Structures are given as C-alpha cells and as structure tokens.
Amino acid sequence: MDLADSRPLAGAVVIEPTEDEAGRRAAAAAADLIVAAQQRSGAARVIFASAPSQEAMLAHLSADARIGWTTVRSFHMDDYLGLAPDHPQGFGQWLSDRLPEAARPGLQRIDATADPDAEIARYTGLLAEAPIDVTCLGIGVNGHIAFNEPGDTDFADTRLVRRIRLDDVSRKQQVDDELFETIEDVPEFALTLTVPALTGAAAMVATVIGAHKAEAVRAALEGPLTTDCPASVLRTHRQASLYLDAGAASRLTPDRS
C-alpha cells in the first residue's frame, strides 16, 4: 500500500528539548486517557511498547498518582520467539520491570517459548475480549511499529498477532540500543501485534527519542502513507499524538517543527 496522501496527524505533534521532557508530556497524555477509560468503564486496557525510547514515558506514567493500576490490563506489542520468560532482553520482562508493582498482575505477557501458532491464538483471544483504550508506542529506525517491518506489513491485516522475521535494520537497532552485544545474538523471529491491533485502540500515544530516529519521523509525518514506513499509518488514526525530543524532530520541515 502506498498512497499519495498528505493528511496530517490527527492529534498533537509535541517537541521538547530533552528525552525526559518528551517522556513527561507523553506520559501525561497517556495518563489522561487511562484515567478517562477507568472513569468511563471501571478499567483500562493498554498496549505498551518495550524499548529504550519508552523509559522516560513509563517512569513518569508509573509515578502518576491518578492511575489505579489494579484496574489496568496491559499488553506488550511484540516479543522474541524462544526467549525464556525471565530473559532480560525479553519484552515482557522489560515491561514488567518498568511498570509499577500494582500493575504487574494485570500484565498479559506473550509466552515466547510456547508453540507459536498456539500462542498467536491465545494472545489474539486476550486482545479481542474488549476494545483497547490506548496504544503507547515508539517508532523504529526503519519506521516499524511493533515489529511490523517495511515490506512486510499490511495496514488491513485481518489478524491481530502474527509471526515475523525481523528486518536486519531492526536487529541492528537492538545492538545499537545496547540490548544485545552482536547482531548474531538478536533472535531472527518474533511474535508481533499487527498494525490493525495497534491502530484499533481508541487513542495512540507515540514517543520517539533520538536523532537516529529523525528520518523515520520525517517519513512518518511528511512522506506518503505507505507500508514502506509502517509508522505513517499513525496519520490515519482519529486520535494519535506524537511526542519527540529535539533529536527525533531534527529532520522535520521548519513549519512543522
């Protein structure tokens, strides 16, 4: 899919000087949405990314006293196949380590050691039980969201979860982020939520940090709507906002930044 479409992002594009300030603003927006869902229905269902770009956002979100974490059901958007549940590079473990203790019983973790087809069916069922209120995500250096890679993404996928082979750019990003020592250490396969699983949330809050993400941000906001930059799909969502530090915003045209 490649559409000559220049529509803007529906929500705010907020640029702050530092990672901490961008994370604080993103966390405040996400917290507002979570609290509103809790007030509306007594609970909130949230999908989280597990990545260094989310550290500041999650720290500020965890400290927000307005959120009753015992009524938040959390999901993570991808994980490497074959990693043990307590592996420090596993995304479920990474997220569990950064959410408040009260949130951990409500974290629905992907079992990366299970039969992939069976786990896809199980996690799909959990996601489909009720609408998702908020997706908190990042953008990869190649424009991926979750592990929906350029050239291997379907904006109209009928599935909620699928097995994928990681792009080499995505695998190198894990090394550059100091999550693995070498690219050979990074697993080749993962389970990922699909684009419709992410965009099906009532609201999306994206946090992107660092100059190494600047070209992906530019493509997502100013390029065509295309699966060559999966993050461009954010511009089709009715309530998506994007929070950037100065580095991540550095390739945007002046009138946008």
Side-chain angles (χ1 to χ4, degrees):
M1 180 184 295
D2 191 344
L3 304 175
D5 191 323
S6 59
R7 77 182 74 175
L9 199 70
V13 178
V14 175
I15 301 168
E16 294 288 351
T18 68
E19 174 181 357
D20 187 70
E21 289 172 285
R24 177 181 57 80
R25 292 288 301 276
D32 287 346
L33 293 162
I34 291 169
V35 170
Q38 291 176 318
Q39 292 174 341
R40 185 172 59 249
S41 64
R45 289 164 58 84
V46 187
I47 297 170
F48 288 106
S50 304
S53 65
Q54 307 301 298
E55 291 265 15
M57 186 280 290
L58 286 170
H60 285 288
L61 189 70
S62 297
D64 196 312
R66 296 176 297 155
I67 300 173
W69 285 101
T70 58
T71 59
V72 176
R73 198 172 195 193
S74 305
F75 303 87
H76 55 115
M77 55 183 61
D78 44 21
D79 217 334
Y80 300 111
L81 282 175
L83 291 191
D86 61 350
H87 195 290
Q89 274 70 45
F91 291 151
Q93 185 61 45
W94 188 97
L95 186 57
S96 178
D97 289 342
R98 286 157 180 81
L99 288 174
E101 184 175 352
R104 291 171 190 161
L107 173 59
Q108 307 300 308
R109 292 179 56 167
I110 295 170
D111 185 351
T113 63
D115 172 77
D117 290 337
E119 186 59 8
I120 286 170
R122 185 188 74 86
Y123 213 70
T124 294
L126 293 175
L127 291 166
E129 284 179 353
I132 301 296
D133 297 297
V134 191
T135 295
C136 296
L137 72 158
I139 296 175
V141 293
N142 62 359
H144 73 223
I145 53 174
F147 271 140
N148 296 286
E149 305 282 24
D152 186 22
T153 290
D154 182 356
F155 287 168
D157 205 317
T158 58
R159 300 166 292 180
L160 296 180
V161 185
R162 66 188 181 106
R163 179 179 183 268
I164 57 94
R165 180 191 288 271
L166 272 66
D167 187 297
D168 284 346
V169 174
S170 293
R171 295 176 72 211
K172 184 176 185 301
Q173 180 182 328
Q174 308 308 309
V175 178
D176 293 341
D177 286 343
E178 300 182 349
L179 300 174
F180 293 89
E181 289 189 9
T182 70
I183 195 169
E184 289 75 21
D185 296 326
V186 183
E188 289 187 53
F189 295 95
L191 296 184
T192 184
L193 274 61
T194 62
V195 167
L198 304 177
T199 61
M204 303 183 78
V205 177
T207 310
V208 188
I209 303 299
H212 62 302
K213 301 284 186 72
E215 178 55 29
V217 169
R218 186 208 62 76
L221 290 182
E222 300 181 5
L225 291 175
T226 176
T227 53
D228 290 338
C229 179
S232 65
V233 79
L234 289 169
R235 291 174 12 228
T236 70
H237 196 276
R238 62 193 176 279
Q239 192 177 348
S241 55
L242 178 60
Y243 296 83
L244 310 170
D245 71 350
S250 61
R251 294 290 302 274
L252 294 176
T253 54
D255 64 334
R256 192 179 294 269
S257 62

